[in-house]
Amino acid sequence: MDKILVHGGRSLEGDVRIGGSKNSALPILAATLLTKEKCVIDRVPDLSDIHYMLTILGRLGAEVERASGVVQIRAEKIITEAPYEIVRKMRASVCVLGPLLGREKSAKVSLPGGCVIGDRPIDLHLKGFEALGAKVTVKGGDIILSADKLTGARINLRGRHGPTVLGTGNVMMAAVLAEGTTVIEGAAEEPEVIDLARDQMGLKLSASQLHAADGRVWLREHRGEFDVVSVIPDRIEAGTFLVAGAIAGKRVTITRTEPRHLEAVLTALRTAGFDLSLTSDSVTISPNGSRRPLHLETLPYPGFPTDMQAQFCAMLATMEGTSVVTETVFPQRFMHVAELKRMGATIDLDDHRATIHGVERLSGAPVMASDLRASAALVLAALPADGVTEINRVYHIDRGYEAIDEKLNGLGAHIERVKA
Ligand code: EPZ
Protein backbone atom coordinates (compact mmCIF):
# COMPACT_ATOMS: atom_id res chain seq x y z
CA MET A 1 0.00 0.00 0.00
CA ASP A 2 1.36 3.42 -1.00
CA LYS A 3 2.15 5.99 1.60
CA ILE A 4 2.94 9.69 1.37
CA LEU A 5 5.56 11.74 3.18
CA VAL A 6 4.64 15.39 3.80
CA HIS A 7 7.64 17.62 4.53
CA GLY A 8 6.07 20.38 6.64
CA GLY A 9 6.78 24.10 6.82
CA ARG A 10 6.40 25.08 3.15
CA SER A 11 3.99 27.91 2.31
CA LEU A 12 1.58 27.53 -0.61
CA GLU A 13 0.95 30.00 -3.40
CA GLY A 14 -0.67 29.87 -6.84
CA ASP A 15 -3.67 28.41 -8.67
CA VAL A 16 -5.17 24.93 -8.50
CA ARG A 17 -7.83 23.62 -10.88
CA ILE A 18 -10.80 21.78 -9.33
CA GLY A 19 -12.03 18.55 -10.93
CA GLY A 20 -15.50 17.16 -11.52
CA SER A 21 -17.54 16.11 -8.50
CA LYS A 22 -17.16 12.48 -7.35
CA ASN A 23 -20.52 12.62 -5.55
CA SER A 24 -22.28 13.97 -8.62
CA ALA A 25 -20.58 11.66 -11.13
CA LEU A 26 -21.37 8.44 -9.23
CA PRO A 27 -25.21 8.67 -9.38
CA ILE A 28 -25.10 10.17 -12.90
CA LEU A 29 -23.07 7.17 -14.08
CA ALA A 30 -25.61 4.86 -12.40
CA ALA A 31 -28.44 6.76 -14.12
CA THR A 32 -27.15 5.66 -17.53
CA LEU A 33 -28.79 2.30 -16.73
CA LEU A 34 -32.16 4.02 -17.21
CA THR A 35 -31.85 4.09 -20.99
CA LYS A 36 -30.69 1.95 -23.91
CA GLU A 37 -29.38 5.15 -25.52
CA LYS A 38 -25.70 6.10 -25.57
CA CYS A 39 -24.73 8.51 -22.79
CA VAL A 40 -21.71 10.81 -22.84
CA ILE A 41 -20.56 12.29 -19.54
CA ASP A 42 -17.83 14.90 -19.36
CA ARG A 43 -15.57 16.03 -16.50
CA VAL A 44 -15.66 12.65 -14.76
CA PRO A 45 -12.80 12.65 -12.23
CA ASP A 46 -10.13 9.91 -12.37
CA LEU A 47 -10.73 8.30 -8.96
CA SER A 48 -10.84 4.74 -7.69
CA ASP A 49 -14.52 5.15 -6.67
CA ILE A 50 -15.34 6.11 -10.27
CA HIS A 51 -13.37 3.09 -11.50
CA TYR A 52 -15.43 0.85 -9.18
CA MET A 53 -18.70 2.28 -10.53
CA LEU A 54 -17.62 1.83 -14.18
CA THR A 55 -16.61 -1.76 -13.37
CA ILE A 56 -20.03 -2.46 -11.83
CA LEU A 57 -21.82 -0.97 -14.87
CA GLY A 58 -19.68 -3.12 -17.15
CA ARG A 59 -20.49 -6.25 -15.14
CA LEU A 60 -24.20 -5.35 -15.40
CA GLY A 61 -23.80 -5.45 -19.19
CA ALA A 62 -23.19 -1.82 -20.14
CA GLU A 63 -20.59 -0.93 -22.77
CA VAL A 64 -18.20 1.49 -21.08
CA GLU A 65 -15.52 3.62 -22.78
CA ARG A 66 -13.37 6.21 -21.05
CA ALA A 67 -11.06 8.73 -22.67
CA SER A 68 -9.47 11.08 -20.13
CA GLY A 69 -12.38 12.88 -18.42
CA VAL A 70 -15.08 11.77 -20.86
CA VAL A 71 -17.05 8.56 -20.29
CA GLN A 72 -19.35 6.97 -22.90
CA ILE A 73 -21.85 4.38 -21.70
CA ARG A 74 -24.51 2.41 -23.53
CA ALA A 75 -26.58 0.05 -21.37
CA GLU A 76 -28.42 -1.68 -24.20
CA LYS A 77 -28.77 -5.13 -22.62
CA ILE A 78 -28.31 -5.47 -18.88
CA ILE A 79 -28.61 -7.97 -16.06
CA THR A 80 -29.97 -6.83 -12.72
CA GLU A 81 -27.60 -8.51 -10.25
CA ALA A 82 -24.55 -6.51 -9.10
CA PRO A 83 -21.54 -8.62 -8.13
CA TYR A 84 -20.74 -8.70 -4.41
CA GLU A 85 -16.96 -8.69 -4.78
CA ILE A 86 -17.07 -5.19 -6.29
CA VAL A 87 -20.15 -3.73 -4.59
CA ARG A 88 -18.63 -4.39 -1.16
CA LYS A 89 -15.73 -2.05 -2.01
CA MET A 90 -17.91 1.03 -2.42
CA ARG A 91 -21.05 1.89 -0.50
CA ALA A 92 -22.24 4.24 -3.24
CA SER A 93 -22.80 1.15 -5.44
CA VAL A 94 -26.20 1.12 -3.77
CA CYS A 95 -27.29 3.79 -6.26
CA VAL A 96 -27.62 1.23 -9.06
CA LEU A 97 -30.73 -0.09 -7.26
CA GLY A 98 -32.98 2.77 -8.39
CA PRO A 99 -32.24 2.66 -12.13
CA LEU A 100 -32.33 -1.17 -12.23
CA LEU A 101 -35.71 -1.16 -10.48
CA GLY A 102 -36.98 1.65 -12.69
CA ARG A 103 -35.96 0.01 -15.97
CA GLU A 104 -36.14 -3.75 -15.32
CA LYS A 105 -38.51 -3.81 -12.30
CA SER A 106 -35.99 -6.01 -10.51
CA ALA A 107 -32.60 -5.69 -8.81
CA LYS A 108 -30.29 -7.70 -6.58
CA VAL A 109 -27.42 -5.84 -4.91
CA SER A 110 -25.50 -6.75 -1.78
CA LEU A 111 -26.23 -4.65 1.29
CA PRO A 112 -23.52 -2.01 1.79
CA GLY A 113 -21.49 -2.58 4.92
CA GLY A 114 -20.94 0.10 7.55
CA CYS A 115 -17.81 2.17 7.40
CA VAL A 116 -15.53 4.11 9.70
CA ILE A 117 -17.71 7.23 9.61
CA GLY A 118 -20.56 5.26 11.13
CA ASP A 119 -23.51 3.05 10.37
CA ARG A 120 -24.68 3.53 6.77
CA PRO A 121 -28.33 2.32 6.71
CA ILE A 122 -30.42 2.41 3.53
CA ASP A 123 -33.86 2.09 5.14
CA LEU A 124 -34.98 5.37 3.54
CA HIS A 125 -33.97 4.17 0.06
CA LEU A 126 -36.03 1.00 0.57
CA LYS A 127 -38.97 3.00 1.99
CA GLY A 128 -39.03 5.00 -1.23
CA PHE A 129 -38.91 1.93 -3.46
CA GLU A 130 -41.76 0.30 -1.52
CA ALA A 131 -43.83 3.48 -1.84
CA LEU A 132 -43.45 3.20 -5.64
CA GLY A 133 -44.78 -0.38 -5.51
CA ALA A 134 -41.64 -2.51 -5.21
CA LYS A 135 -41.40 -5.63 -3.04
CA VAL A 136 -38.24 -5.45 -0.91
CA THR A 137 -36.54 -8.60 0.42
CA VAL A 138 -33.24 -8.71 2.31
CA LYS A 139 -31.73 -12.20 2.07
CA GLY A 140 -28.22 -13.55 2.45
CA GLY A 141 -26.77 -10.06 2.64
CA ASP A 142 -28.51 -9.00 -0.56
CA ILE A 143 -31.26 -6.51 -1.23
CA ILE A 144 -33.73 -7.99 -3.69
CA LEU A 145 -36.27 -5.70 -5.35
CA SER A 146 -39.13 -6.70 -7.63
CA ALA A 147 -42.22 -4.95 -8.98
CA ASP A 148 -44.96 -5.68 -11.52
CA LYS A 149 -45.08 -1.95 -12.16
CA LEU A 150 -44.04 1.29 -10.47
CA THR A 151 -46.61 3.97 -9.73
CA GLY A 152 -45.87 7.56 -8.77
CA ALA A 153 -46.37 8.38 -5.07
CA ARG A 154 -45.88 11.10 -2.47
CA ILE A 155 -42.88 10.01 -0.35
CA ASN A 156 -41.15 11.64 2.63
CA LEU A 157 -37.49 10.62 2.70
CA ARG A 158 -36.38 12.65 5.72
CA GLY A 159 -34.65 10.51 8.36
CA ARG A 160 -33.60 11.26 11.95
CA HIS A 161 -30.33 12.75 10.67
CA GLY A 162 -32.07 14.77 7.97
CA PRO A 163 -32.43 14.05 4.22
CA THR A 164 -30.55 11.28 2.43
CA VAL A 165 -28.41 12.33 -0.55
CA LEU A 166 -28.02 8.97 -2.32
CA GLY A 167 -31.48 7.92 -1.14
CA THR A 168 -33.07 10.93 -2.85
CA GLY A 169 -31.13 10.17 -6.04
CA ASN A 170 -31.94 6.46 -5.91
CA VAL A 171 -35.69 7.00 -5.51
CA MET A 172 -35.65 9.72 -8.19
CA MET A 173 -34.03 7.31 -10.66
CA ALA A 174 -36.70 4.66 -10.01
CA ALA A 175 -39.52 7.24 -10.09
CA VAL A 176 -38.66 8.75 -13.50
CA LEU A 177 -39.82 5.49 -15.12
CA ALA A 178 -42.86 5.09 -12.88
CA GLU A 179 -46.38 5.80 -14.16
CA GLY A 180 -47.63 9.14 -12.92
CA THR A 181 -46.18 11.82 -10.68
CA THR A 182 -43.87 11.28 -7.72
CA VAL A 183 -43.33 13.94 -5.07
CA ILE A 184 -40.34 13.41 -2.78
CA GLU A 185 -40.67 15.45 0.42
CA GLY A 186 -37.75 15.91 2.80
CA ALA A 187 -35.54 15.55 -0.30
CA ALA A 188 -31.80 16.26 -0.12
CA GLU A 189 -30.96 19.52 -1.92
CA GLU A 190 -27.21 19.01 -2.26
CA PRO A 191 -25.92 20.36 -5.61
CA GLU A 192 -25.05 16.77 -6.59
CA VAL A 193 -28.72 15.76 -6.26
CA ILE A 194 -29.87 18.75 -8.34
CA ASP A 195 -27.17 17.92 -10.92
CA LEU A 196 -28.60 14.38 -11.19
CA ALA A 197 -32.17 15.65 -11.57
CA ARG A 198 -31.60 18.76 -13.67
CA ASP A 199 -32.23 18.69 -17.41
CA GLN A 200 -28.52 19.51 -17.72
CA MET A 201 -28.24 15.73 -17.45
CA GLY A 202 -29.38 15.84 -21.06
CA LEU A 203 -32.70 14.24 -20.14
CA LYS A 204 -35.02 15.60 -22.84
CA LEU A 205 -38.01 15.51 -20.56
CA SER A 206 -41.12 15.06 -22.67
CA ALA A 207 -44.22 15.68 -20.55
CA SER A 208 -41.93 15.64 -17.57
CA GLN A 209 -40.63 18.23 -15.24
CA LEU A 210 -38.02 18.06 -12.53
CA HIS A 211 -37.44 20.80 -10.05
CA ALA A 212 -36.40 20.96 -6.45
CA ALA A 213 -38.29 23.57 -4.44
CA ASP A 214 -38.67 23.71 -0.66
CA GLY A 215 -36.95 20.34 -0.40
CA ARG A 216 -39.42 18.64 -2.72
CA VAL A 217 -38.55 17.12 -6.07
CA TRP A 218 -41.42 16.77 -8.53
CA LEU A 219 -41.08 14.02 -11.15
CA ARG A 220 -43.55 13.03 -13.84
CA GLU A 221 -43.44 10.30 -16.43
CA HIS A 222 -40.26 10.33 -18.35
CA ARG A 223 -39.34 9.42 -21.89
CA GLY A 224 -36.12 10.84 -23.11
CA GLU A 225 -32.62 10.46 -24.41
CA PHE A 226 -29.28 11.50 -23.04
CA ASP A 227 -26.98 14.10 -24.54
CA VAL A 228 -23.64 15.11 -23.14
CA VAL A 229 -23.71 15.71 -19.43
CA SER A 230 -20.97 17.72 -17.77
CA VAL A 231 -20.49 16.99 -14.08
CA ILE A 232 -20.45 19.97 -11.69
CA PRO A 233 -17.17 20.94 -9.98
CA ASP A 234 -16.31 19.04 -6.81
CA ARG A 235 -17.25 21.42 -3.96
CA ILE A 236 -15.50 19.26 -1.35
CA GLU A 237 -12.23 19.14 -3.28
CA ALA A 238 -12.60 22.92 -3.65
CA GLY A 239 -13.18 23.37 0.09
CA THR A 240 -10.24 21.11 0.89
CA PHE A 241 -7.84 23.24 -1.16
CA LEU A 242 -9.23 26.43 0.39
CA VAL A 243 -8.41 24.98 3.80
CA ALA A 244 -4.92 24.16 2.51
CA GLY A 245 -4.62 27.84 1.60
CA ALA A 246 -5.89 28.78 5.06
CA ILE A 247 -3.51 26.43 6.90
CA ALA A 248 -0.31 27.05 4.92
CA GLY A 249 -1.01 29.57 2.19
CA LYS A 250 0.23 33.01 1.28
CA ARG A 251 -2.33 33.30 -1.52
CA VAL A 252 -4.09 30.30 -3.13
CA THR A 253 -6.68 30.45 -5.89
CA ILE A 254 -9.00 27.56 -6.76
CA THR A 255 -10.26 27.72 -10.36
CA ARG A 256 -13.03 26.03 -12.37
CA THR A 257 -15.14 25.89 -9.23
CA GLU A 258 -18.70 26.98 -8.39
CA PRO A 259 -18.58 29.48 -5.47
CA ARG A 260 -22.39 29.26 -5.11
CA HIS A 261 -21.99 25.65 -3.88
CA LEU A 262 -19.50 26.72 -1.21
CA GLU A 263 -21.46 29.41 0.70
CA ALA A 264 -21.32 27.77 4.13
CA VAL A 265 -17.60 26.96 3.76
CA LEU A 266 -16.77 30.50 2.58
CA THR A 267 -18.72 32.00 5.48
CA ALA A 268 -16.81 29.82 7.96
CA LEU A 269 -13.46 30.85 6.45
CA ARG A 270 -14.37 34.54 6.58
CA THR A 271 -15.49 34.18 10.21
CA ALA A 272 -12.16 32.50 10.97
CA GLY A 273 -10.46 35.65 9.67
CA PHE A 274 -9.40 34.89 6.09
CA ASP A 275 -9.76 37.27 3.16
CA LEU A 276 -11.59 35.76 0.18
CA SER A 277 -12.03 37.20 -3.29
CA LEU A 278 -14.43 35.55 -5.74
CA THR A 279 -15.10 35.52 -9.47
CA SER A 280 -17.84 33.47 -11.19
CA ASP A 281 -15.63 30.37 -11.19
CA SER A 282 -12.77 30.98 -8.76
CA VAL A 283 -12.04 31.77 -5.12
CA THR A 284 -8.79 33.24 -3.77
CA ILE A 285 -7.92 32.87 -0.10
CA SER A 286 -5.25 34.80 1.78
CA PRO A 287 -4.62 35.08 5.51
CA ASN A 288 -5.02 38.61 6.89
CA GLY A 289 -3.20 38.20 10.17
CA SER A 290 -6.29 37.86 12.39
CA ARG A 291 -7.36 34.25 12.94
CA ARG A 292 -10.34 33.45 15.11
CA PRO A 293 -11.63 30.13 16.57
CA LEU A 294 -15.01 28.84 15.33
CA HIS A 295 -18.15 27.14 16.58
CA LEU A 296 -19.24 24.88 13.68
CA GLU A 297 -22.18 22.51 13.27
CA THR A 298 -22.49 20.20 10.26
CA LEU A 299 -25.92 20.20 8.60
CA PRO A 300 -27.57 19.02 5.37
CA TYR A 301 -27.07 21.41 2.42
CA PRO A 302 -27.06 24.39 2.37
CA GLY A 303 -25.62 24.05 5.91
CA PHE A 304 -21.95 23.41 6.67
CA PRO A 305 -21.07 20.11 4.93
CA THR A 306 -20.12 17.06 6.98
CA ASP A 307 -17.58 16.25 4.24
CA MET A 308 -15.61 19.37 5.26
CA GLN A 309 -15.68 18.71 9.02
CA ALA A 310 -12.38 16.82 9.28
CA GLN A 311 -10.54 19.39 7.17
CA PHE A 312 -11.74 22.23 9.42
CA CYS A 313 -10.71 20.30 12.53
CA ALA A 314 -7.18 20.19 11.08
CA MET A 315 -7.26 23.95 10.47
CA LEU A 316 -8.74 24.80 13.89
CA ALA A 317 -6.14 22.62 15.64
CA THR A 318 -3.58 25.38 15.03
CA MET A 319 -5.93 28.34 15.50
CA GLU A 320 -5.43 30.27 18.71
CA GLY A 321 -8.35 29.87 21.11
CA THR A 322 -10.97 27.17 21.59
CA SER A 323 -13.20 25.95 18.74
CA VAL A 324 -16.18 23.60 18.97
CA VAL A 325 -17.21 21.32 16.07
CA THR A 326 -20.54 19.48 16.30
CA GLU A 327 -21.24 16.66 13.82
CA THR A 328 -24.99 16.10 13.31
CA VAL A 329 -25.02 14.06 10.05
CA PHE A 330 -22.57 11.25 10.92
CA PRO A 331 -22.14 11.62 14.71
CA GLN A 332 -19.22 9.14 14.84
CA ARG A 333 -17.24 10.89 12.10
CA PHE A 334 -14.15 11.75 14.17
CA MET A 335 -11.56 9.12 13.07
CA HIS A 336 -9.20 12.01 12.28
CA VAL A 337 -9.10 13.26 15.91
CA ALA A 338 -6.90 10.47 17.31
CA GLU A 339 -4.43 10.92 14.46
CA LEU A 340 -4.37 14.73 14.81
CA LYS A 341 -3.62 14.23 18.51
CA ARG A 342 -0.62 12.09 17.52
CA MET A 343 0.62 15.24 15.78
CA GLY A 344 0.21 17.30 18.96
CA ALA A 345 -3.34 18.61 18.59
CA THR A 346 -5.34 19.20 21.79
CA ILE A 347 -8.87 17.96 21.12
CA ASP A 348 -11.52 16.69 23.56
CA LEU A 349 -14.21 14.43 22.09
CA ASP A 350 -17.59 14.22 23.77
CA ASP A 351 -20.20 12.17 21.92
CA HIS A 352 -20.66 14.02 18.59
CA ARG A 353 -18.78 17.17 19.61
CA ALA A 354 -15.06 18.01 19.36
CA THR A 355 -13.62 20.82 21.47
CA ILE A 356 -10.37 21.97 19.90
CA HIS A 357 -7.79 23.98 21.86
CA GLY A 358 -5.52 25.54 19.25
CA VAL A 359 -1.78 25.02 19.60
CA GLU A 360 1.06 27.03 18.06
CA ARG A 361 2.26 24.28 15.75
CA LEU A 362 1.74 20.57 15.13
CA SER A 363 4.63 18.17 14.71
CA GLY A 364 5.06 15.56 12.00
CA ALA A 365 4.42 11.93 12.95
CA PRO A 366 3.50 8.61 11.35
CA VAL A 367 -0.33 8.58 11.05
CA MET A 368 -2.96 6.29 9.55
CA ALA A 369 -5.53 7.30 6.95
CA SER A 370 -8.95 5.88 7.76
CA ASP A 371 -11.65 7.39 5.57
CA LEU A 372 -11.56 9.75 2.63
CA ARG A 373 -12.00 13.11 4.35
CA ALA A 374 -10.11 12.19 7.54
CA SER A 375 -7.14 11.28 5.32
CA ALA A 376 -7.31 14.63 3.53
CA ALA A 377 -7.39 16.34 6.94
CA LEU A 378 -4.11 14.62 7.90
CA VAL A 379 -2.44 15.88 4.72
CA LEU A 380 -3.65 19.42 5.52
CA ALA A 381 -2.46 19.22 9.14
CA ALA A 382 0.96 18.03 7.96
CA LEU A 383 1.53 21.03 5.65
CA PRO A 384 2.55 23.57 8.37
CA ALA A 385 3.78 20.93 10.85
CA ASP A 386 7.39 20.68 12.04
CA GLY A 387 9.17 17.78 10.37
CA VAL A 388 7.87 14.96 8.19
CA THR A 389 4.45 13.30 8.46
CA GLU A 390 4.11 9.78 7.05
CA ILE A 391 0.54 8.99 6.03
CA ASN A 392 -0.18 5.29 5.50
CA ARG A 393 -3.09 3.64 3.57
CA VAL A 394 -3.16 6.44 1.03
CA TYR A 395 -5.70 4.50 -1.05
CA HIS A 396 -8.36 6.14 1.13
CA ILE A 397 -7.37 9.54 -0.29
CA ASP A 398 -7.19 8.29 -3.87
CA ARG A 399 -10.88 7.32 -3.65
CA GLY A 400 -11.93 10.97 -3.70
CA TYR A 401 -9.00 13.19 -4.63
CA GLU A 402 -7.32 13.12 -8.03
CA ALA A 403 -3.54 13.52 -7.53
CA ILE A 404 -3.88 15.61 -4.34
CA ASP A 405 -0.10 15.26 -3.72
CA GLU A 406 0.77 16.55 -7.19
CA LYS A 407 -1.72 19.43 -6.95
CA LEU A 408 -0.34 20.49 -3.54
CA ASN A 409 3.26 20.21 -4.81
CA GLY A 410 2.18 22.49 -7.65
CA LEU A 411 1.35 25.08 -4.98
CA GLY A 412 4.76 24.74 -3.33
CA ALA A 413 4.29 21.84 -0.91
CA HIS A 414 6.88 19.05 -0.63
CA ILE A 415 5.05 15.73 -0.70
CA GLU A 416 6.56 12.40 -1.76
CA ARG A 417 4.44 9.36 -2.71
CA VAL A 418 6.27 6.16 -1.70
CA LYS A 419 5.13 3.13 -3.68
CA ALA A 420 4.73 0.17 -1.35
C1 EPZ B 1 -23.57 11.10 0.57
O1 EPZ B 1 -23.59 9.87 1.27
C2 EPZ B 1 -22.11 11.35 0.22
N1 EPZ B 1 -21.60 10.25 -0.61
C3 EPZ B 1 -21.26 11.43 1.49
O2 EPZ B 1 -19.93 11.78 1.09
C4 EPZ B 1 -21.82 12.56 2.37
O3 EPZ B 1 -21.08 12.60 3.58
C5 EPZ B 1 -23.30 12.30 2.66
O4 EPZ B 1 -24.03 12.17 1.42
C6 EPZ B 1 -23.93 13.44 3.47
O5 EPZ B 1 -23.79 14.65 2.78
C7 EPZ B 1 -21.92 10.23 -1.94
O6 EPZ B 1 -22.65 11.07 -2.43
C8 EPZ B 1 -21.32 9.11 -2.74
P1 EPZ B 1 -26.88 10.21 3.41
P2 EPZ B 1 -25.03 9.17 1.58
O7 EPZ B 1 -27.79 9.13 2.96
O8 EPZ B 1 -26.01 9.55 0.58
C9 EPZ B 1 -28.71 8.57 7.43
C10 EPZ B 1 -17.61 11.56 0.93
O9 EPZ B 1 -16.75 11.75 1.79
N2 EPZ B 1 -29.46 7.64 6.57
O10 EPZ B 1 -27.18 11.61 2.97
O11 EPZ B 1 -24.75 7.75 1.83
C11 EPZ B 1 -27.22 8.32 7.41
O12 EPZ B 1 -26.86 7.31 8.35
C12 EPZ B 1 -18.88 10.82 1.31
O13 EPZ B 1 -17.54 11.95 -0.26
C13 EPZ B 1 -30.44 6.84 7.13
O14 EPZ B 1 -30.69 6.90 8.33
O15 EPZ B 1 -25.40 9.85 2.97
C14 EPZ B 1 -26.67 9.67 7.79
O16 EPZ B 1 -26.71 9.82 9.20
C15 EPZ B 1 -18.84 10.29 2.73
N3 EPZ B 1 -31.14 5.99 6.32
C16 EPZ B 1 -27.63 10.66 7.13
O17 EPZ B 1 -28.84 9.90 6.92
C17 EPZ B 1 -30.91 5.93 4.97
O18 EPZ B 1 -31.59 5.15 4.27
C18 EPZ B 1 -27.16 11.23 5.81
O19 EPZ B 1 -26.76 10.15 5.00
C19 EPZ B 1 -29.90 6.74 4.41
C20 EPZ B 1 -29.20 7.60 5.22
Side-chain angles (χ1 to χ4, degrees):
M1 281 182 265
D2 291 4
K3 59 185 173 185
I4 56 175
L5 304 177
V6 182
H7 298 263
R10 311 280 289 254
S11 62
L12 308 184
E13 195 163 10
D15 295 2
V16 59
R17 184 169 151 165
I18 299 304
S21 162
K22 164 180 84 81
N23 291 350
S24 179
L26 288 170
I28 285 178
L29 291 171
T32 62
L33 293 169
L34 285 166
T35 175
K36 297 181 185 324
E37 305 292 330
K38 177 175 171 181
C39 305
V40 183
I41 300 144
D42 187 14
R43 208 172 169 187
V44 177
D46 183 12
L47 303 169
S48 49
D49 273 11
I50 298 294
H51 170 69
Y52 289 144
M53 179 57 80
L54 295 178
T55 305
I56 291 169
L57 296 177
R59 297 284 289 274
L60 290 171
E63 294 160 35
V64 177
E65 284 176 53
R66 171 171 203 151
S68 68
V70 180
V71 172
Q72 300 192 41
I73 299 177
R74 182 194 291 274
E76 202 161 359
K77 291 190 184 64
I78 56 171
I79 61 173
T80 60
E81 189 167 329
Y84 170 72
E85 74 272 10
I86 302 174
V87 168
R88 69 178 175 78
K89 289 180 184 169
M90 180 179 68
R91 187 185 170 284
S93 321
V94 73
C95 62
V96 300
L97 279 171
L100 289 176
L101 177 66
R103 178 171 159 184
E104 300 296 332
K105 308 297 180 282
S106 88
K108 183 178 178 182
V109 175
S110 66
L111 262 173
C115 67
V116 289
I117 66 176
D119 181 19
R120 304 296 295 273
I122 60 164
D123 57 307
L124 299 171
H125 300 231
L126 303 181
K127 171 186 171 187
F129 296 145
E130 282 178 324
L132 294 171
K135 178 172 175 281
V136 175
T137 314
V138 178
K139 192 174 164 198
D142 289 329
I143 305 148
I144 301 162
L145 302 179
S146 60
D148 298 330
K149 72 170 186 168
L150 296 178
T151 309
R154 181 179 286 270
I155 311 166
N156 191 316
L157 284 187
R158 192 174 182 81
R160 65 194 181 95
H161 290 293
T164 163
V165 171
L166 286 180
T168 302
N170 233 346
V171 174
M172 270 196 312
M173 289 188 278
V176 288
L177 295 181
E179 287 172 23
T181 298
T182 296
V183 177
I184 301 176
E185 298 187 322
E189 296 173 67
E190 272 68 3
E192 296 78 22
V193 175
I194 306 304
D195 201 28
L196 174 65
R198 201 170 48 197
D199 58 7
Q200 183 201 2
M201 193 175 148
L203 283 171
K204 286 193 174 60
L205 301 181
S206 53
S208 302
Q209 183 186 6
L210 302 172
H211 65 269
D214 312 322
R216 297 193 303 170
V217 178
W218 294 77
L219 308 163
R220 292 186 179 83
E221 281 178 32
H222 158 79
R223 287 179 299 286
E225 60 188 15
F226 285 79
D227 289 334
V228 178
V229 176
S230 186
V231 173
I232 56 174
D234 193 313
R235 64 190 168 100
I236 306 301
E237 183 192 26
T240 303
F241 277 99
L242 284 174
V243 172
I247 284 185
K250 276 192 216 153
R251 188 178 169 77
V252 169
T253 299
I254 60 171
T255 63
R256 285 202 68 194
T257 190
E258 177 53 81
R260 279 183 307 120
H261 295 161
L262 284 163
E263 283 303 326
V265 171
L266 300 181
T267 302
L269 289 169
R270 284 194 189 96
T271 309
F274 294 93
D275 287 338
L276 299 175
S277 59
L278 278 62
T279 68
S280 59
D281 67 351
S282 75
V283 179
T284 298
I285 184 166
S286 46
N288 67 10
S290 69
R291 300 202 333 170
R292 292 185 291 273
L294 291 178
H295 280 221
L296 275 181
E297 182 179 52
T298 66
L299 289 167
Y301 192 86
F304 185 87
T306 173
D307 291 349
M308 283 300 303
Q309 182 257 104
Q311 299 92 312
F312 266 70
C313 284
M315 179 183 83
L316 296 170
T318 54
M319 292 281 239
E320 205 178 322
T322 297
S323 297
V324 178
V325 176
T326 305
E327 171 60 62
T328 70
V329 179
F330 291 110
Q332 300 165 39
R333 192 176 197 171
F334 286 109
M335 292 298 289
H336 43 287
V337 167
E339 298 304 309
L340 290 172
K341 289 168 84 168
R342 285 178 49 74
M343 298 174 71
T346 308
I347 305 175
D348 303 322
L349 261 190
D350 165 24
D351 190 20
H352 62 299
R353 180 165 294 119
T355 303
I356 303 169
H357 308 283
V359 296
E360 178 69 29
R361 185 173 299 282
L362 297 179
S363 51
V367 290
M368 190 71 75
S370 54
D371 73 272
L372 170 53
R373 307 304 174 185
S375 315
L378 297 178
V379 175
L380 297 176
L383 292 171
D386 279 335
V388 180
T389 300
E390 176 186 292
I391 301 174
N392 295 287
R393 297 186 182 172
V394 166
Y395 63 86
H396 285 294
I397 302 180
D398 295 335
R399 296 189 59 154
Y401 291 94
E402 196 172 335
I404 191 170
D405 42 340
E406 292 167 26
K407 289 187 175 182
L408 286 169
N409 284 340
L411 291 172
H414 179 191
I415 302 176
E416 297 171 83
R417 182 180 283 256
V418 180
K419 291 280 178 204

